[in-house]
Amino acid sequence: MYLKSLSLRQFRNYDQQCLHLSAAKTIIVGDNAQGKTNLLEAVELLSTLQSHRTNRDGDLVLNGETTGQIHGILERQMGTMELGLTLRRNGRRTVILNGQTQRRYLDLLGLLNTVRFSSTDLELVRGGPEQRRQWLDRLLTQLEPLYAHIWQQYQQVLRQRNALLKSHHANSTRPSQEELALWDAQLTATGIRVIRRRSRALARLSPLAIAWHQLISGCRETLEIRYLPNVKSETDHLEAWQQAFLVKIEERMMAEYHQHTSLVGPHRDDIEFTINNTPARQYGSQGQQRTLVLALKLAELELIEQIVRDSPLLLLDDVLAELDLKRQNQLLEAIQDRFQTLITTTHLGAFDAHWLRHSQVVTVESGRIMTDQQPLILTPNQPHHSNATKI
Amino acid sequence: MYTLPLARLIEQLQRLPGVGPKTAQRLALYILQRPDTEIQALAQALMDAKEKVGQCSVCFHLTADPICEICLDPTRDRHLICLVIDSRDVIALEKTREYRGLYHVLGGLISPMDGISPEQLNIQPLIQRVHRERPEEVILAISPSVEGETTTLYVGHLLKAFTRVTRIAFGLPMGGDLEYADEITLARALEGRRELD
């Protein structure tokens, strides 16, 4: 898939700007706080309807305005489509596909697939379990847009169950067994759906990540990815899962009363990475952790490509500078022209000259996008769309 | 900007669901242009409706009488009770003219977040009614949201001891093409598949 253009209106620090993406790789240069990441965030929003930076649409709208808009023209094998998202300071957002407002958000999900790789991803191994869950859930939404619905339902059950536990804490009473059992059943039903899908996605991703990891580390190390669901079942039968949930809920009942929050379910899952049978989180060196995250990201690209049967976009947010030259080259070699890539950076110095020649370079300065550097970078016999056609 | 009585009218209208500042202004200015008699009739209708319309003592549907028309109708099938969330659902089902049984209006969904527990809904009166009237079947017509499912689960469990409990099918809209159905509906329709009669 190929994103041809991205238009922003009153989005973050952009008043009205349009970016035409004319090469397989676009390098966005600018000083800090000029709006580079905002561009990638806009692409991310069209892709997943979520931003990794905020949950509030108000943050996404230009200061002093009430609505913001993102619009993108996407070329896929099945044809060209226009994706639109209107964000409001107060009120619900609107998703628009080919000029038509869609009733469900789900209708926009899964059309534009992206893999985001930012410097915060380097914390994926060392950071808390929540980061790893978010990473997996984001991938799952790309692979199976329906997962967004399944996850929302689970969260709604969780909110309701927590409200029940809290309300009785406030009145120093215990919730009726009957009412709690009701929400236990819902937690179990929706929780099993989440666990099964997470487990399936990791099982698919794992061999790809292991292969990439071996390649990058030069076969010296063996990676293992293990899903650590909060509720474990010996077999994958529905009854076994239900039983496992009930047993665990029973076990944690007293703790739940005291902490008045739900302690059982996939909102407490984790994913463990081990290198040569040692947890990467505790023992991996910074270099080892970076190799691991790089392998995960490459595996994500490959898995989405396999399942969606179209190549996703890669969004590299300020991350190349964080990788050493060897890993940079491995990443760039793996991408080549196969995946449209948007890269943000503060300086072009770190880029290979040959590589720069094949890229579109744009400069961002306080909410303005300038493409005037482009003719300097592209050689005269390199028409704008030459790279685009390879996608 | 507005003279005080007009500002008050706009403010009141704006409290209505689906009415924003612009619509409220338009309605208020329209009201000012109408003859006195018409506005008196409107005001009277508002007061009357509020004063006279209450809930049916049997099924909790909106009615001006102690017992609603549907419950009093001798031609209705008294072996069937359809459980719905509010009176709007009764009206929607009545429009189909397919259903000839009775109703029971629950008055909401179980939702701890909104402070709604089963005791606040018309569930106890339903149990008593089923116990008393012994219908052959209770049909649960509750939307499949998280709260709807939970309420269905709860009520279904309680009623099973007394009677046959069914729930309406969820699935594809009539005249709709399979390819245009969304994934959630389709998954739901697959779950609820049945033998070809």
Side-chain angles (χ1 to χ4, degrees):
Chain A
M1 58 188 75
Y2 180 66
L3 186 67
K4 279 169 74 179
S5 79
L6 179 71
S7 310
L8 304 176
R9 212 171 64 81
Q10 297 167 7
F11 174 79
R12 289 276 190 191
N13 68 333
Y14 291 92
D15 185 18
Q16 193 141 18
Q17 290 286 307
C18 185
L19 173 61
H20 292 281
L21 300 157
S22 57
K25 290 186 193 71
T26 301
I27 302 174
I28 302 159
V29 199
D31 289 337
N32 286 324
Q34 300 301 308
K36 298 189 301 289
T37 300
N38 296 349
L39 285 179
L40 298 195
E41 187 183 33
V43 178
E44 192 192 359
L45 275 158
L46 286 184
S47 166
T48 61
L49 295 175
Q50 278 179 359
S51 158
H52 66 286
R53 296 152 101 198
T54 181
N55 289 323
R56 294 187 311 157
D57 282 1
D59 295 344
L60 301 168
V61 179
L62 181 69
N63 281 337
E65 300 295 339
T66 52
T67 58
Q69 270 171 348
I70 308 169
H71 179 264
I73 299 179
L74 178 70
E75 236 168 49
R76 287 197 60 167
Q77 283 154 2
M78 53 184 127
T80 303
M81 51 187 94
E82 292 185 27
L83 314 179
L85 179 63
T86 304
L87 304 153
R88 295 186 174 81
R89 191 167 291 280
N90 302 302
R92 284 163 63 89
R93 43 171 79 167
T94 312
V95 300
I96 304 149
L97 178 60
N98 297 326
Q100 303 274 324
T101 299
Q102 304 293 307
R103 205 165 49 81
R104 287 179 314 262
Y105 294 161
L106 200 62
D107 291 326
L108 204 73
L109 284 178
L111 295 176
L112 169 60
N113 295 112
T114 56
V115 171
R116 185 174 59 88
F117 189 5
S118 74
S119 42
T120 52
D121 282 314
L122 297 172
E123 290 295 305
L124 205 56
V125 181
R126 214 191 286 261
E130 192 183 356
Q131 246 175 309
R132 287 183 284 280
R133 286 193 298 268
Q134 272 174 4
W135 161 72
L136 181 58
D137 286 343
R138 188 189 187 280
L139 173 64
L140 255 166
T141 310
Q142 305 262 330
L143 299 174
E144 324 173 20
L146 196 59
Y147 180 76
H149 173 73
I150 289 170
W151 178 238
Q152 268 166 20
Q153 279 205 314
Y154 177 73
Q155 288 205 302
Q156 183 65 11
V157 171
L158 203 58
R159 279 193 289 268
Q160 292 283 18
R161 194 173 182 275
N162 286 342
L164 184 66
L165 289 169
K166 274 202 185 72
S167 70
H168 286 272
H169 169 75
N171 309 332
S172 356
T173 55
R174 280 191 182 182
S176 80
Q177 286 304 313
E178 216 176 19
E179 206 180 340
L180 197 59
L182 210 56
W183 291 106
D184 292 350
Q186 292 286 53
L187 189 86
T188 303
T190 52
I192 292 170
R193 283 188 209 132
V194 170
I195 294 176
R196 278 185 156 168
R197 282 175 194 250
R198 280 183 177 169
S199 159
R200 188 168 65 195
L202 271 185
R204 281 165 160 176
L205 183 79
S206 200
L208 302 176
I210 290 168
W212 276 114
H213 189 263
Q214 276 186 342
L215 196 73
I216 299 167
S217 67
C219 288
R220 280 170 298 141
E221 294 164 338
T222 325
L223 167 70
E224 239 186 294
I225 301 175
R226 212 173 303 143
Y227 179 38
L228 303 177
N230 175 261
V231 179
K232 293 173 194 72
S233 165
E234 294 292 321
T235 62
D236 192 36
H237 294 117
L238 198 60
E239 294 79 18
W241 276 114
Q242 284 165 342
Q243 191 55 32
F245 259 88
L246 291 179
V247 168
K248 182 116 188 195
I249 290 171
E250 180 84 28
E251 258 174 42
R252 306 289 286 151
M253 191 171 62
M254 286 314 286
E256 286 193 336
Y257 284 151
H258 289 298
Q259 297 179 37
H260 38 93
T261 186
S262 298
L263 299 173
V264 177
H267 62 292
R268 294 173 83 93
D269 284 355
D270 200 355
I271 297 143
E272 186 184 54
F273 305 109
T274 60
I275 296 170
N276 293 338
N277 293 321
T278 315
R281 191 178 174 184
Q282 290 155 26
Y283 301 105
S285 72
Q286 206 179 20
Q288 275 178 322
Q289 295 190 3
R290 286 180 177 205
T291 300
L292 173 47
V293 174
L294 183 56
L296 289 177
K297 292 290 155 180
L298 290 168
E300 267 183 72
L301 281 172
E302 209 179 345
L303 181 61
I304 294 176
E305 193 182 31
Q306 271 181 17
I307 290 182
V308 179
R309 292 174 193 277
D310 209 342
S311 50
L313 264 70
L314 177 62
L315 311 175
L316 294 177
D317 190 9
D318 235 358
V319 79
L320 276 186
E322 301 258 350
L323 298 174
D324 59 33
L325 272 178
K326 186 175 147 238
R327 290 193 184 89
Q328 263 188 39
N329 283 332
Q330 273 164 332
L331 172 62
L332 298 176
E333 205 154 290
I335 306 167
Q336 299 210 354
D337 275 351
R338 212 164 112 203
F339 304 100
Q340 185 184 5
T341 309
L342 272 64
I343 305 159
T344 67
T345 184
T346 45
H347 50 280
L348 290 173
F351 293 90
D352 182 78
H354 164 77
W355 210 71
L356 269 178
R357 216 172 298 133
H358 293 274
S359 307
Q360 175 193 18
V361 178
V362 299
T363 308
V364 168
E365 207 182 295
S366 47
R368 276 165 40 88
I369 302 168
M370 287 164 288
T371 46
D372 50 6
Q373 288 202 19
Q374 206 171 300
L376 298 174
I377 302 302
L378 292 172
T379 53
N381 59 358
Q382 183 97 44
H384 280 191
H385 286 281
S386 63
N387 282 320
T389 49
K390 289 180 196 161
I391 292 272
Chain B
M1 190 162 34
Y2 302 112
T3 181
L4 193 61
L6 180 57
R8 267 198 219 121
L9 177 58
I10 293 175
E11 213 265 318
Q12 289 299 324
L13 288 170
Q14 218 178 310
R15 290 171 185 228
L16 301 174
V19 179
K22 278 189 184 154
T23 310
Q25 181 191 301
R26 209 178 82 219
L27 291 174
L29 294 178
Y30 176 80
I31 287 170
L32 290 186
Q33 284 170 2
R34 304 311 296 168
D36 286 0
T37 49
E38 202 174 298
I39 301 309
Q40 247 149 26
L42 174 65
Q44 195 59 45
L46 282 171
M47 299 298 290
D48 274 1
K50 183 61 195 162
E51 193 188 309
K52 291 181 184 154
V53 177
Q55 289 175 338
C56 168
S57 59
V58 179
C59 75
F60 298 91
H61 183 38
L62 295 177
T63 174
D65 305 307
I67 296 178
C68 75
E69 269 176 46
I70 298 172
C71 286
L72 288 173
D73 186 346
T75 67
R76 309 274 314 198
D77 183 350
R78 316 200 79 80
H79 300 297
L80 270 179
I81 295 179
C82 181
L83 185 67
V84 295
I85 299 307
D86 61 32
S87 278
R88 277 180 301 177
D89 300 335
V90 174
I91 296 161
L93 281 161
E94 279 302 283
K95 278 189 186 154
T96 67
R97 299 191 194 186
E98 275 300 308
Y99 179 67
R100 297 301 302 158
L102 303 174
Y103 294 95
H104 191 92
V105 178
L106 213 47
L109 293 169
I110 299 174
S111 172
M113 279 164 78
D114 303 304
I116 303 175
S117 63
E119 299 87 66
Q120 281 151 280
L121 304 174
N122 304 322
I123 294 176
Q124 268 315 308
L126 172 68
I127 306 292
Q128 286 159 11
R129 186 178 168 196
V130 169
H131 189 66
R132 191 174 62 237
E133 294 175 16
R134 295 279 164 183
E136 279 167 15
E137 183 178 343
V138 175
I139 305 165
L140 307 182
I142 299 175
S143 69
S145 64
V146 164
E147 293 74 20
E149 289 287 308
T150 307
T151 310
T152 300
L153 201 69
Y154 182 77
V155 178
H157 188 70
L158 288 178
L159 288 179
K160 265 186 195 155
F162 302 104
T163 181
R164 176 172 180 233
V165 184
T166 57
R167 65 181 302 184
I168 55 167
F170 296 100
L172 302 174
M174 288 304 287
D177 277 324
L178 205 60
E179 57 174 325
Y180 293 125
D182 68 283
E183 297 88 331
I184 301 167
T185 310
L186 225 88
R188 192 91 214 188
L190 266 173
E191 250 176 56
R193 66 185 184 275
R194 58 176 201 197
E195 299 279 342
L196 198 61
D197 346 274

